[in-house]
Amino acid sequence: MTRTLYRNARVFTADRPGFAEALVVDDARIAFVGAESDAAAQAGPSAASVDLEGRLVLPGFVDAHTHLLMTGDALGQVGLTPARTLAEIQDLLRRARAENDAGAPLRGRGWLFDAVAGGRPTAAMIDEAVADVPVYLDANDYHSCWVNSAALAELGITRETPDPIGGRIGRDVHGEPDGMLYETAAQRFAWAHRDATTTDAQRDASVERVIAAYLAAGVTGVVDMAFDEHGLAAFERAHARRSGALPLRVAAHWFVANTGDDDANLAQVARAAELAAEQGAVRVVGIKLVLDGTIDACTAAMRDPYANGSNAEPIWPAERLGPVVAAADAAGLQIALHAIGDAASTMALDAIEQAIVANGSRPRRHRIEHLEYAAPGTAERMARLGVTASMQPVHADPAIFANWATQLGDARTERGFAWREYEEAGALLAFSTDAPTAPLDALANMYVAATRASALDPSVAAVHPQHALPLDRAVAHATRDAAISVGDGSWRGRLAPGFAADFAVIDADPFGDPAALLTTRVVRTVVDGRTEFGG
């Protein structure tokens, strides 16, 4: 057994009494947390000793909603979020094309709808910058893809191409494709083409990028929310390269798409149940369904229309959703339901409640993802049903909030991202980033949670600071509660005796002033007792 004393620190435990001075770790587990003198006595004279030089120790962050391969891809693509005008987007694309001598398709990510006048991007706008190679640009919310004319031709999209279930091909007044692929149209065309043309070597590089980035951010565990055969194979290869020990804890929800056919939908649930029983390189814990789109693109399903008078139908109609949720619940799978609009979250809870009635009393911890705008009473209903509120503080960053508010255009904006409602109702609240729709930086995520100010652009004023949370509660939601959200609350997520030795050491203490989170850096990340970053 290897025993290590981590001393001269301020340790936030996400447990009572809250702070300590030292840790003792035996191999992969925490043996003691408390005063330094007591820790030294517990460790004994033969223990290794690590002086943390007064730094802050936090439980390892658990990003409870992310997309691993997509994030790894995004880290190697053209970043467009800082571009606030079409001209800036075009300039970034021209520069990227100039650096791309091979003439391969150009891929970018993170553009904002309000960077384009009227929020109506077209293929011609990209053509002005890059016309000779296909260009694929994922929106910041990853629910739409903007392409140029060469990409439309590569995908074979014409005026005769029908819209897929739950999606839409943007078209001009003459019915010609205009370069926008919304919701499942982005998945069925742009993403399917990407998947078909990506090599194993490219996926392996994405896996290595995302693992390294997460460890550098103090994240010790993640939950992938759209796992598929490509991701499974890539992480199995990564697992094998490391002789069966990934440096990051990975749980996953298997993505289930609405095919329009109940048998085909249920076959996807059966595949998830098969993988959950195998417990291979990645622990499959449940399924993920996307019930609606996003408010920024006016594709989230709302009870009342958007400011422009439009609304959106759910991607999963109730008659297709019910059988899938009931079957997954019966199989003991955790169900994660993407629901951004209030009509979608109500539909999600209806389906869960029907499954509970059908399958009877059993341990379950289902979850709703995002909940950007939910009807009053939703939090209380979730608490009653034991449903987790899985939310992303970085989605409320004021630097990207204006378009969100404009699309609703009424008093609904005052209750957007209302984290306190879920706390007060007694629902489990788990924080995450939904990378790559937002940066995976755990500390920036906590800054937005604790201030409702912008981590992307600190010059932007806070929006709705009444919804901000004290930093200790925000960190607990991103560590302890995020671990609980995937059934791991009994052995990780807190710094307590018997728990996994998963923690991050950062170079400043932001508990006195959360603004320090903007400059604080992770200097060490420990997973299962092993230093995987820094140190």
Side-chain angles (χ1 to χ4, degrees), residues 39 47 63 115 127 130 153 156 192 196 215 225 262 286 300 310 341 343 388 399 420 434 439 446 461 473 504 527:
D63 197 336
D127 292 345
V130 178
L215 292 172
M225 274 294 165
D262 286 340
S310 72
T388 297
R420 284 180 178 267
D434 193 19
M446 294 299 90
R473 282 160 42 193
V527 185

mmCIF file of all heavy atoms in Angstrom, residues 39 47 63 115 127 130 153 156 192 196 215 225 262 286 300 310 341 343 388 399 420 434 439 446 461 473 504 527:
data_model
loop_
_atom_site.group_PDB
_atom_site.id
_atom_site.type_symbol
_atom_site.label_atom_id
_atom_site.label_comp_id
_atom_site.label_asym_id
_atom_site.label_seq_id
_atom_site.Cartn_x
_atom_site.Cartn_y
_atom_site.Cartn_z
ATOM 1 N N ALA A 39 -3.817 14.687 10.524
ATOM 2 C CA ALA A 39 -3.507 13.958 9.298
ATOM 3 C C ALA A 39 -2.098 13.381 9.350
ATOM 4 O O ALA A 39 -1.866 12.241 8.925
ATOM 5 C CB ALA A 39 -3.663 14.879 8.091
ATOM 6 N N ALA A 47 4.940 7.705 5.554
ATOM 7 C CA ALA A 47 4.126 8.130 4.416
ATOM 8 C C ALA A 47 4.886 9.142 3.567
ATOM 9 O O ALA A 47 5.658 9.962 4.079
ATOM 10 C CB ALA A 47 2.810 8.739 4.900
ATOM 11 N N ASP A 63 -17.994 16.405 -15.009
ATOM 12 C CA ASP A 63 -18.796 17.066 -16.045
ATOM 13 C C ASP A 63 -19.923 16.120 -16.425
ATOM 14 O O ASP A 63 -19.747 15.187 -17.207
ATOM 15 C CB ASP A 63 -17.930 17.411 -17.258
ATOM 16 C CG ASP A 63 -18.611 18.445 -18.155
ATOM 17 O OD1 ASP A 63 -19.852 18.534 -18.112
ATOM 18 O OD2 ASP A 63 -17.901 19.168 -18.888
ATOM 19 N N ALA A 115 -24.638 36.885 -34.586
ATOM 20 C CA ALA A 115 -23.497 37.441 -35.312
ATOM 21 C C ALA A 115 -23.841 37.678 -36.778
ATOM 22 O O ALA A 115 -23.102 38.352 -37.496
ATOM 23 C CB ALA A 115 -22.292 36.513 -35.211
ATOM 24 N N ASP A 127 -19.716 31.241 -48.997
ATOM 25 C CA ASP A 127 -19.088 31.211 -50.318
ATOM 26 C C ASP A 127 -18.242 32.452 -50.563
ATOM 27 O O ASP A 127 -17.208 32.392 -51.251
ATOM 28 C CB ASP A 127 -20.141 31.092 -51.411
ATOM 29 C CG ASP A 127 -20.866 29.748 -51.415
ATOM 30 O OD1 ASP A 127 -20.368 28.798 -50.768
ATOM 31 O OD2 ASP A 127 -21.928 29.659 -52.054
ATOM 32 N N VAL A 130 -15.061 31.340 -48.547
ATOM 33 C CA VAL A 130 -14.465 30.073 -48.971
ATOM 34 C C VAL A 130 -15.493 29.346 -49.838
ATOM 35 O O VAL A 130 -16.545 28.937 -49.344
ATOM 36 C CB VAL A 130 -14.081 29.182 -47.773
ATOM 37 C CG1 VAL A 130 -13.507 27.860 -48.252
ATOM 38 C CG2 VAL A 130 -13.094 29.884 -46.852
ATOM 39 N N ALA A 153 -23.490 20.425 -52.122
ATOM 40 C CA ALA A 153 -23.275 19.511 -53.248
ATOM 41 C C ALA A 153 -22.675 18.191 -52.762
ATOM 42 O O ALA A 153 -23.083 17.105 -53.203
ATOM 43 C CB ALA A 153 -22.360 20.170 -54.278
ATOM 44 N N GLY A 156 -25.271 16.099 -51.292
ATOM 45 C CA GLY A 156 -26.330 15.719 -52.212
ATOM 46 C C GLY A 156 -27.675 16.314 -51.870
ATOM 47 O O GLY A 156 -28.725 15.763 -52.224
ATOM 48 N N ALA A 192 -23.574 12.825 -40.203
ATOM 49 C CA ALA A 192 -23.427 11.473 -40.753
ATOM 50 C C ALA A 192 -22.280 11.445 -41.767
ATOM 51 O O ALA A 192 -21.502 10.482 -41.806
ATOM 52 C CB ALA A 192 -24.729 11.022 -41.405
ATOM 53 N N ALA A 196 -18.826 9.299 -41.456
ATOM 54 C CA ALA A 196 -18.446 8.350 -42.504
ATOM 55 C C ALA A 196 -17.066 8.633 -43.072
ATOM 56 O O ALA A 196 -16.423 7.725 -43.617
ATOM 57 C CB ALA A 196 -19.482 8.378 -43.625
ATOM 58 N N LEU A 215 -8.379 16.739 -17.976
ATOM 59 C CA LEU A 215 -7.490 16.611 -16.824
ATOM 60 C C LEU A 215 -6.850 17.944 -16.473
ATOM 61 O O LEU A 215 -6.701 18.285 -15.296
ATOM 62 C CB LEU A 215 -6.426 15.556 -17.112
ATOM 63 C CG LEU A 215 -6.939 14.109 -17.226
ATOM 64 C CD1 LEU A 215 -5.820 13.189 -17.695
ATOM 65 C CD2 LEU A 215 -7.520 13.619 -15.899
ATOM 66 N N MET A 225 -23.101 12.350 -23.272
ATOM 67 C CA MET A 225 -24.546 12.386 -23.455
ATOM 68 C C MET A 225 -24.996 12.140 -24.890
ATOM 69 O O MET A 225 -26.110 12.527 -25.253
ATOM 70 C CB MET A 225 -25.094 13.732 -22.958
ATOM 71 C CG MET A 225 -25.380 13.749 -21.485
ATOM 72 S SD MET A 225 -26.726 12.614 -21.090
ATOM 73 C CE MET A 225 -26.529 12.512 -19.308
ATOM 74 N N ASP A 262 -41.464 2.247 -33.856
ATOM 75 C CA ASP A 262 -41.294 1.821 -32.462
ATOM 76 C C ASP A 262 -40.310 0.662 -32.338
ATOM 77 O O ASP A 262 -39.484 0.637 -31.415
ATOM 78 C CB ASP A 262 -42.649 1.399 -31.868
ATOM 79 C CG ASP A 262 -43.546 2.592 -31.559
ATOM 80 O OD1 ASP A 262 -43.014 3.710 -31.433
ATOM 81 O OD2 ASP A 262 -44.766 2.401 -31.440
ATOM 82 N N GLY A 286 -27.111 4.521 -19.327
ATOM 83 C CA GLY A 286 -28.478 4.812 -19.710
ATOM 84 C C GLY A 286 -28.593 5.230 -21.158
ATOM 85 O O GLY A 286 -27.707 4.968 -21.978
ATOM 86 N N ALA A 300 -36.689 25.018 -29.793
ATOM 87 C CA ALA A 300 -37.137 24.419 -28.538
ATOM 88 C C ALA A 300 -38.662 24.451 -28.491
ATOM 89 O O ALA A 300 -39.290 25.420 -28.954
ATOM 90 C CB ALA A 300 -36.547 25.173 -27.355
ATOM 91 N N SER A 310 -43.477 32.233 -34.076
ATOM 92 C CA SER A 310 -43.274 30.828 -34.423
ATOM 93 C C SER A 310 -43.260 29.962 -33.171
ATOM 94 O O SER A 310 -43.207 30.453 -32.047
ATOM 95 C CB SER A 310 -41.958 30.662 -35.186
ATOM 96 O OG SER A 310 -40.844 30.836 -34.317
ATOM 97 N N GLY A 341 -37.212 23.716 -23.815
ATOM 98 C CA GLY A 341 -38.444 24.488 -23.701
ATOM 99 C C GLY A 341 -39.403 23.901 -22.684
ATOM 100 O O GLY A 341 -39.318 22.716 -22.333
ATOM 101 N N ALA A 343 -42.605 23.204 -22.919
ATOM 102 C CA ALA A 343 -43.458 22.126 -23.420
ATOM 103 C C ALA A 343 -42.697 20.805 -23.426
ATOM 104 O O ALA A 343 -43.253 19.746 -23.115
ATOM 105 C CB ALA A 343 -43.966 22.459 -24.823
ATOM 106 N N THR A 388 -33.426 14.289 -11.664
ATOM 107 C CA THR A 388 -32.314 15.232 -11.550
ATOM 108 C C THR A 388 -32.455 16.364 -12.547
ATOM 109 O O THR A 388 -32.793 16.141 -13.716
ATOM 110 C CB THR A 388 -30.979 14.507 -11.813
ATOM 111 O OG1 THR A 388 -30.796 13.513 -10.811
ATOM 112 C CG2 THR A 388 -29.799 15.472 -11.807
ATOM 113 N N ALA A 399 -22.544 37.015 -22.235
ATOM 114 C CA ALA A 399 -21.996 37.366 -23.545
ATOM 115 C C ALA A 399 -22.759 36.690 -24.676
ATOM 116 O O ALA A 399 -22.691 37.146 -25.828
ATOM 117 C CB ALA A 399 -20.515 37.000 -23.611
ATOM 118 N N ARG A 420 -31.860 28.201 -8.649
ATOM 119 C CA ARG A 420 -32.334 28.235 -7.260
ATOM 120 C C ARG A 420 -33.680 27.538 -7.092
ATOM 121 O O ARG A 420 -33.968 26.979 -6.035
ATOM 122 C CB ARG A 420 -32.433 29.678 -6.767
ATOM 123 C CG ARG A 420 -31.093 30.327 -6.438
ATOM 124 C CD ARG A 420 -31.297 31.761 -5.970
ATOM 125 N NE ARG A 420 -30.040 32.395 -5.608
ATOM 126 C CZ ARG A 420 -29.536 32.425 -4.382
ATOM 127 N NH1 ARG A 420 -30.207 31.854 -3.395
ATOM 128 N NH2 ARG A 420 -28.393 33.030 -4.138
ATOM 129 N N ASP A 434 -21.805 20.767 -21.015
ATOM 130 C CA ASP A 434 -22.316 20.442 -22.341
ATOM 131 C C ASP A 434 -21.283 20.762 -23.419
ATOM 132 O O ASP A 434 -21.624 21.143 -24.533
ATOM 133 C CB ASP A 434 -23.628 21.169 -22.627
ATOM 134 C CG ASP A 434 -24.362 20.627 -23.852
ATOM 135 O OD1 ASP A 434 -24.066 19.489 -24.263
ATOM 136 O OD2 ASP A 434 -25.213 21.347 -24.407
ATOM 137 N N PRO A 439 -17.291 26.154 -23.418
ATOM 138 C CA PRO A 439 -15.962 25.691 -23.006
ATOM 139 C C PRO A 439 -16.057 24.672 -21.874
ATOM 140 O O PRO A 439 -16.944 24.743 -21.026
ATOM 141 C CB PRO A 439 -15.278 26.987 -22.537
ATOM 142 C CG PRO A 439 -15.992 28.078 -23.255
ATOM 143 C CD PRO A 439 -17.417 27.620 -23.353
ATOM 144 N N MET A 446 -17.956 27.580 -12.904
ATOM 145 C CA MET A 446 -18.280 27.982 -11.541
ATOM 146 C C MET A 446 -18.389 29.506 -11.411
ATOM 147 O O MET A 446 -19.188 30.013 -10.616
ATOM 148 C CB MET A 446 -17.225 27.451 -10.577
ATOM 149 C CG MET A 446 -17.177 25.924 -10.459
ATOM 150 S SD MET A 446 -18.737 25.192 -9.851
ATOM 151 C CE MET A 446 -19.634 24.882 -11.392
ATOM 152 N N ALA A 461 -21.926 42.984 -18.494
ATOM 153 C CA ALA A 461 -22.545 43.027 -17.161
ATOM 154 C C ALA A 461 -23.289 41.723 -16.860
ATOM 155 O O ALA A 461 -23.767 41.029 -17.768
ATOM 156 C CB ALA A 461 -23.514 44.200 -17.081
ATOM 157 N N ARG A 473 -21.947 26.136 -2.866
ATOM 158 C CA ARG A 473 -23.055 25.324 -3.377
ATOM 159 C C ARG A 473 -22.859 25.004 -4.860
ATOM 160 O O ARG A 473 -23.147 23.889 -5.313
ATOM 161 C CB ARG A 473 -24.381 26.034 -3.138
ATOM 162 C CG ARG A 473 -24.819 25.892 -1.692
ATOM 163 C CD ARG A 473 -25.817 26.900 -1.210
ATOM 164 N NE ARG A 473 -26.909 27.251 -2.080
ATOM 165 C CZ ARG A 473 -27.711 28.299 -1.874
ATOM 166 N NH1 ARG A 473 -27.513 29.071 -0.800
ATOM 167 N NH2 ARG A 473 -28.684 28.574 -2.697
ATOM 168 N N ALA A 504 -8.677 18.042 -7.363
ATOM 169 C CA ALA A 504 -7.935 19.039 -8.132
ATOM 170 C C ALA A 504 -7.328 20.050 -7.169
ATOM 171 O O ALA A 504 -7.959 20.418 -6.169
ATOM 172 C CB ALA A 504 -8.856 19.738 -9.126
ATOM 173 N N VAL A 527 -6.537 11.429 -9.971
ATOM 174 C CA VAL A 527 -7.652 10.520 -10.250
ATOM 175 C C VAL A 527 -7.294 9.147 -9.701
ATOM 176 O O VAL A 527 -6.262 8.579 -10.056
ATOM 177 C CB VAL A 527 -7.933 10.414 -11.761
ATOM 178 C CG1 VAL A 527 -9.174 9.551 -12.007
ATOM 179 C CG2 VAL A 527 -8.102 11.784 -12.396
#
